[in-house]
Amino acid sequence: MNCRVYDLNKMSAAVIICVSLTIAHTAGAEEMQDVESPVAPLFSGFVYGQFAQREINHALNADNGAGVPVQTAELAGAIDMRYSSLWLRTRLTAERKYIPTKRQNTADEANKFAADIPQVSWKYIFSDQTSFTIGRLNLTLDDGQSFHAIDILEDGIRGSDFEDRAGKFVGFPMVNITYANALSAYRLIYSDDTISSYSYEYGGTNPGFNRGFRQWVATGRKSIDQLTATAVLQYIEAGNPGGGVALSYVPTAAWSFYVAGFANRGNPYPVHKNVYLNRGDQLGAADVYIYQSPVQPWLAHDGQIRARGLAGATFTTEANTTWVMELWRDNRGMNSDQFQIWKNVVKFHDNLTNQSARGINLGYDMESLRIAHGTHIFLRMSMSVVHDIDIQPSLMATRDGSGILNARWTQHVATTWEYWVETWLRFGDKYSQYGASPERVGVQFNARWFF
């Protein structure tokens, strides 16, 4: 059965565009009187295509309850327009997924056609040092690659596509007042993401745990020689204020060192009900769930302070080979004791004699692993093997010995287009964080043409 979804001109993007264009026209009218001929809009962008083939891990994913697509194909076009102080990106997408499943009322094939404006901004300069920006933007506040401890205004949380090569990242609706000079910068930001609506699909960019609310953010950055320090304060209107710092040190052109940390109250990650109730032994009928998922953000408002931190370094050789080494820990989600409770619950559900109940409950259990948490180590090497050909192997491993092996091979055919092949393997025992993943092996073919 084919299912078509049309998602055209989201309300949030339309509102921001209208407001930005109105303000830009009004505020820029006087400036345009002094210009003999208006500047023409500049258009650029790229066309992106990909095909992915995955192997489903059925060990804890009965009947593919997680909804893993075996095959996906996507054709997208991202068009950037710059006109004076206005910049926007429009993205058009045609996507097809094949999702094998035995569950009723679930499409085996899904076709999606969508148009959106994921990024837009208009900037008004008050003086040489002060500016005002309104739009739909992402802000990166630390230097991590595999993990950003200060991810409060980011759409891409995990994954291998740190550069957003597909142009999928969706900005947060915000207003931003900035005061900056050569050595320091200060920002006051108000973001209202409640006007946006998001639904999560397997493999989606952002599961949405840091979206959908109003927040105030203040940041300050100061540079002293090779050292740069950033401080961040966050206030969410529903409560749970938080704060963080980021430091980067670049002693030479070859080396870079960076650390970052952030802490606030509550745990927005989905947690299993048995973990929340600290019930992992002597399980029975009360621990079998049929009609409602036991995985919810039960601890989102528990008042406990949870921190996440990152320490990393990069080294670039004279042959232009770059090594990245990162160690990070995210205390959102489950700690070691809670993860053991989760394992006990999964083993209990895995041994249920009723296969229907087994499949439903294992599907619920996997929701607790939607976001990586705990302690991780990340290693990546990027090098050019011959002219215009790059390879990039990487390893992500976590506390229980499981992890992900990833490799990317990129060919830069010309200045106008490139293609790359990416493959990944999740490893670990059946009940580990990555070994339990419903997706074990995958390969993806990508191409991008710039215009």
Side-chain angles (χ1 to χ4, degrees):
M1 181 177 69
N2 292 333
C3 175
R4 293 188 177 183
V5 179
Y6 296 87
D7 182 13
L8 302 176
N9 298 324
K10 290 183 180 177
M11 183 63 69
S12 60
V15 170
I16 293 172
I17 290 296
C18 292
V19 171
S20 300
L21 289 174
T22 302
I23 296 176
H25 175 76
T26 302
E30 296 181 359
E31 297 181 8
M32 292 300 296
Q33 292 177 359
D34 299 329
V35 180
E36 295 182 358
S37 59
V39 178
L42 298 178
F43 293 92
S44 61
F46 58 87
V47 176
Y48 167 80
Q50 66 94 354
F51 174 81
Q53 179 76 42
R54 299 174 176 86
E55 177 184 325
I56 297 177
N57 181 9
H58 292 282
L60 299 176
N61 185 29
D63 299 333
N64 193 21
V68 179
V70 172
Q71 294 178 349
T72 60
E74 180 182 9
L75 181 64
I79 303 173
D80 296 342
M81 186 198 78
R82 293 186 181 275
Y83 179 73
S84 186
S85 297
L86 175 67
W87 173 76
L88 65 87
R89 165 169 289 179
T90 300
R91 191 174 192 271
L92 308 175
T93 308
E95 186 178 41
R96 182 178 179 87
K97 295 182 179 181
Y98 174 63
I99 307 173
T101 177
K102 295 181 180 179
R103 295 191 304 173
Q104 295 181 352
N105 302 321
T106 301
D108 287 337
E109 296 181 359
N111 298 331
K112 181 179 180 180
F113 303 91
D116 190 17
I117 301 176
Q119 305 280 339
V120 58
S121 68
W122 175 79
K123 184 176 183 179
Y124 181 75
I125 299 176
F126 291 105
S127 66
D128 292 341
Q129 297 180 329
T130 308
S131 63
F132 169 83
T133 304
I134 183 172
R136 195 179 189 188
L137 298 167
N138 294 127
L139 292 180
T140 300
L141 299 174
D142 64 63
D143 293 334
Q145 291 193 25
S146 62
F147 175 73
H148 287 168
I150 311 176
D151 56 11
I152 54 180
L153 291 170
E154 292 184 42
D155 194 46
I157 307 303
R158 302 287 187 275
S160 63
D161 188 14
F162 306 137
E163 305 92 346
D164 190 24
R165 293 187 172 196
K168 292 183 177 181
F169 291 180
V170 176
F172 286 68
M174 68 174 69
V175 293
N176 179 352
I177 298 176
T178 301
Y179 174 85
N181 54 41
L183 298 178
S184 60
Y186 304 92
R187 290 173 175 168
L188 179 62
I189 301 165
Y190 176 72
S191 173
D192 184 353
D193 198 49
T194 59
I195 63 177
S196 303
S197 177
Y198 298 91
S199 59
Y200 176 75
E201 298 176 347
Y202 184 88
T205 303
N206 191 319
F209 70 85
N210 65 342
R211 306 208 66 134
F213 49 73
R214 301 182 181 94
Q215 60 177 316
W216 290 88
V217 178
T219 71
R221 177 184 58 81
K222 183 70 174 180
S223 296
I224 303 175
D225 295 329
Q226 292 89 4
L227 178 67
T228 300
T230 301
V232 180
L233 295 176
Q234 178 198 38
Y235 174 72
I236 300 175
E237 290 195 355
N240 299 333
V245 295
L247 299 173
S248 64
Y249 178 62
V250 185
T252 67
W255 282 99
S256 173
F257 301 92
Y258 46 91
V259 296
F262 193 88
N264 60 353
R265 297 183 182 275
N267 179 11
Y269 286 3
V271 177
H272 201 286
K273 188 175 182 180
N274 283 68
V275 172
Y276 166 65
L277 297 175
N278 195 30
R279 190 171 66 227
D281 299 321
Q282 299 178 348
L283 304 178
D287 304 293
V288 178
Y289 307 93
I290 300 297
Y291 301 107
Q292 184 176 3
S293 172
V295 182
Q296 304 289 339
W298 300 100
L299 304 175
H301 304 288
D302 65 355
Q304 294 187 22
I305 296 177
R306 291 178 175 83
R308 61 260 198 190
L310 161 80
T314 65
F315 173 69
T316 302
T317 67
E318 293 183 357
N320 205 31
T321 297
T322 300
W323 294 85
V324 179
M325 298 152 282
E326 293 183 347
L327 178 68
W328 57 266
R329 179 173 178 81
D330 192 347
N331 287 330
R332 296 168 294 183
M334 294 179 282
N335 60 34
S336 298
D337 293 337
Q338 291 172 332
F339 191 63
Q340 185 58 51
I341 294 174
W342 177 87
K343 283 186 177 182
N344 294 341
V345 173
V346 174
K347 292 176 183 178
F348 168 71
H349 290 153
D350 193 21
N351 291 318
L352 291 176
T353 56
N354 186 306
Q355 292 303 303
S356 177
R358 174 183 177 272
I360 292 173
N361 281 268
L362 289 176
Y364 289 151
D365 297 341
M366 293 304 103
E367 295 178 20
S368 298
L369 298 181
R370 185 175 293 174
I371 292 292
H373 55 268
T375 302
H376 285 68
I377 186 171
F378 174 76
L379 302 172
R380 164 167 284 184
M381 180 189 72
S382 300
M383 66 176 296
S384 297
V385 289
V386 294
H387 184 63
D388 292 332
I389 296 180
D390 302 329
I391 61 172
Q392 192 179 64
S394 61
L395 167 67
M396 176 91 79
T398 189
R399 57 193 173 188
D400 59 8
S402 64
I404 305 175
L405 285 169
N406 180 279
R408 180 191 292 169
W409 183 94
T410 304
Q411 167 76 61
H412 304 280
V413 179
T415 57
T416 55
W417 77 283
E418 64 183 7
Y419 65 90
W420 66 96
V421 181
E422 188 168 350
T423 184
W424 58 92
L425 166 67
R426 290 173 170 85
F427 61 89
D429 66 46
K430 185 178 180 180
Y431 301 110
S432 61
Q433 183 167 168
Y434 288 100
S437 171
E439 176 190 346
R440 181 57 61 89
V441 180
V443 61
Q444 183 168 299
F445 303 89
N446 312 263
R448 186 166 58 164
W449 176 69
F450 300 93
F451 58 86

